Amino acid sequence: MNFDFTEDQRLLQETVRGFLEGECTPEAIRALWETDTGRSSALWKQLAEVGLAGLLVPESQEGMGLGETDFVLLCEETGRVGLAEPVVSTAAVAAPLLRDLGGELAERWLKPLAVGEAIVAVGHPWSPFVDDAHVADLLLLFRDGELHALQPSDATLEAQPANDPARRIAKVSWQPSAETRVAEGARAAELEAVSLDRGALACAAQLLGACDRLINEAVDYTSQRQQFGVPIGSFQAVKHMLANVKVKLEYARPLVYRAAASVAEGHPQRGVHVSMAKVAATEAAEVGTRQALQAHGAIGYTWEQDLHIWMRRSWTLAQSFGLSRRHRERMAEFALGDAAPIGAGGTFGG
């Protein structure tokens, strides 16, 4: 499998990176923590203008009509800056879910979503709470093998505490009915499975970006902080500590890229590939948070230190769209099953 990206994909990544670095500074992110919603409708509109919101929306609905192999690099960039806007729930999960669902619901919501005029939140059985339901214009909720669509005004939202001040989650109480049901049976099961994989993939990609930023923050700090007249980053122990994080990150990266290709192509082992990517990216980011904090020492615990943005974002992403335990269970179920090809390059290859 070829993991290389095209020149156009890299150019789009650089464009989005330049935009995000200019708009999503640590100061801007901290300012949003203090607002009621924690979100910026103006920023969401700008993200739509650079193509992020509607990248997976068909061109006929004002989107870019691209796929997950294009989106994965952009998700990585949103993680690098610690962006809190609903890229995962709306752009990565809801947009293709509406596209696949089709019908009147897709016709009504895809275009507003693509141009940044609507936010759609998705609730799935692997998480008890729904991200960004408080700012959503539409809720898509999986329950008991069915998919339901409803207005937020038809549900009761109960805000829940979160360790990450950028994260806004809510318990959503609602009454399923024939009027809200938009898919059931095998159709709903397939939509639920692929939605989970898309969400987990997007989280894994954001974890790559967050981990990379944690390494860079630690390198910058240890290059300036001095002891015995030299930067502490020149000490072998510090070098090895951060190099180990880099190895974890670069091990996870191809797994995430392969998972993106599997989701885009509907690969029969899509779920296993996504779970491997989520677990590996989570491990890298978890090691990255510990080592970056250790590299900073006591100052890393202070609230004024920007390190908190990526540490808390990493912990949030690790819990979203399936904990590592559940993804490991899915990998084990496949590997120990009768249909798994056994041998080097076989079990998880192809």
Side-chain angles (χ1 to χ4, degrees):
M1 183 175 289
N2 184 2
F3 290 132
D4 288 342
F5 291 95
T6 66
E7 185 176 345
D8 288 342
Q9 287 170 326
R10 289 296 187 187
L11 181 60
L12 181 59
Q13 179 189 25
E14 292 174 8
T15 301
V16 171
R17 177 182 293 187
F19 168 79
L20 292 173
E21 287 178 346
E23 298 294 332
C24 302
T25 61
E27 294 76 18
I29 290 173
R30 284 179 177 277
L32 283 175
W33 291 355
E34 308 301 325
T35 64
D36 290 338
T37 65
R39 301 291 177 265
S40 167
S41 56
L43 178 57
W44 183 245
K45 187 77 174 178
Q46 288 179 293
L47 291 170
E49 290 173 356
V50 297
L52 200 53
L55 192 133
L56 300 180
V57 175
E59 291 181 275
S60 59
Q61 297 283 353
E62 304 293 335
M64 297 183 69
L66 300 178
E68 281 77 9
T69 50
D70 306 285
F71 201 35
V72 68
L73 292 176
L74 308 190
C75 272
E76 193 174 335
E77 295 306 320
T78 61
R80 197 187 309 280
V81 297
L83 180 72
E85 297 299 323
V87 170
V88 173
S89 60
T90 296
V93 181
L97 175 57
L98 286 168
R99 182 198 62 201
D100 295 347
L101 190 60
E104 294 181 1
L105 205 61
E107 193 68 25
R108 165 68 181 84
W109 288 102
L110 275 177
K111 182 177 178 181
L113 187 156
V115 300
E117 294 178 352
I119 289 174
V120 182
V122 180
H124 65 92
W126 281 32
S127 176
F129 306 125
V130 180
D131 288 310
D132 294 306
H134 67 300
V135 292
D137 301 288
L138 176 70
L139 298 174
L140 295 174
L141 305 172
F142 289 100
R143 178 186 285 183
D144 299 331
E146 298 178 341
L147 174 60
H148 294 261
L150 62 154
Q151 301 296 315
S153 58
D154 294 329
T156 301
L157 306 184
E158 184 179 348
Q160 302 296 312
N163 182 56
D164 180 359
R167 192 184 192 197
R168 303 300 168 95
I169 53 178
K171 177 182 178 182
V172 179
S173 302
W174 54 289
Q175 187 60 46
S177 66
E179 286 72 29
T180 62
R181 185 171 56 242
V182 293
E184 58 185 330
R187 176 64 172 154
E190 173 57 24
L191 291 172
E192 180 182 312
V194 73
S195 293
L196 170 67
D197 288 339
R198 285 176 178 137
L201 168 65
C203 290
Q206 288 195 329
L207 282 164
L208 292 183
C211 184
D212 195 43
R213 184 61 177 265
L214 285 164
I215 295 172
N216 290 335
E217 291 290 315
V219 169
D220 288 346
Y221 179 76
T222 56
S223 298
Q224 298 172 17
R225 177 80 166 85
Q226 293 200 356
Q227 280 187 345
F228 310 112
V230 297
I232 62 174
S234 64
F235 300 155
Q236 201 71 356
V238 176
K239 289 180 179 177
H240 284 174
M241 185 174 68
L242 298 179
N244 287 338
V245 182
K246 184 68 172 175
V247 169
K248 284 276 188 183
L249 173 62
E250 296 308 324
Y251 168 76
R253 193 183 300 279
L255 295 179
V256 176
Y257 294 165
R258 180 182 64 174
S262 293
V263 172
E265 298 167 2
H267 194 284
Q269 293 180 21
R270 179 196 72 212
V272 179
H273 293 167
V274 168
S275 287
M276 292 176 67
K278 182 71 170 10
V279 168
T282 298
E283 284 185 354
E286 287 178 344
V287 174
T289 58
R290 289 198 303 270
Q291 304 300 52
L293 183 59
Q294 186 169 354
H296 279 73
I299 196 173
Y301 289 91
T302 61
W303 190 241
E304 292 75 15
Q305 176 54 245
D306 288 338
L307 199 62
H308 282 270
I309 294 173
W310 298 281
M311 288 171 52
R312 292 168 186 271
R313 188 107 291 256
S314 295
W315 296 331
T316 290
L317 292 167
Q319 297 180 50
S320 299
F321 286 92
L323 296 169
S324 288
R325 174 179 56 81
R326 301 201 66 164
H327 285 288
R328 288 183 190 279
E329 288 173 352
R330 189 159 69 159
M331 292 160 56
E333 183 178 351
F334 168 77
L336 300 176
D338 295 334
I342 303 300
T347 303
F348 297 114

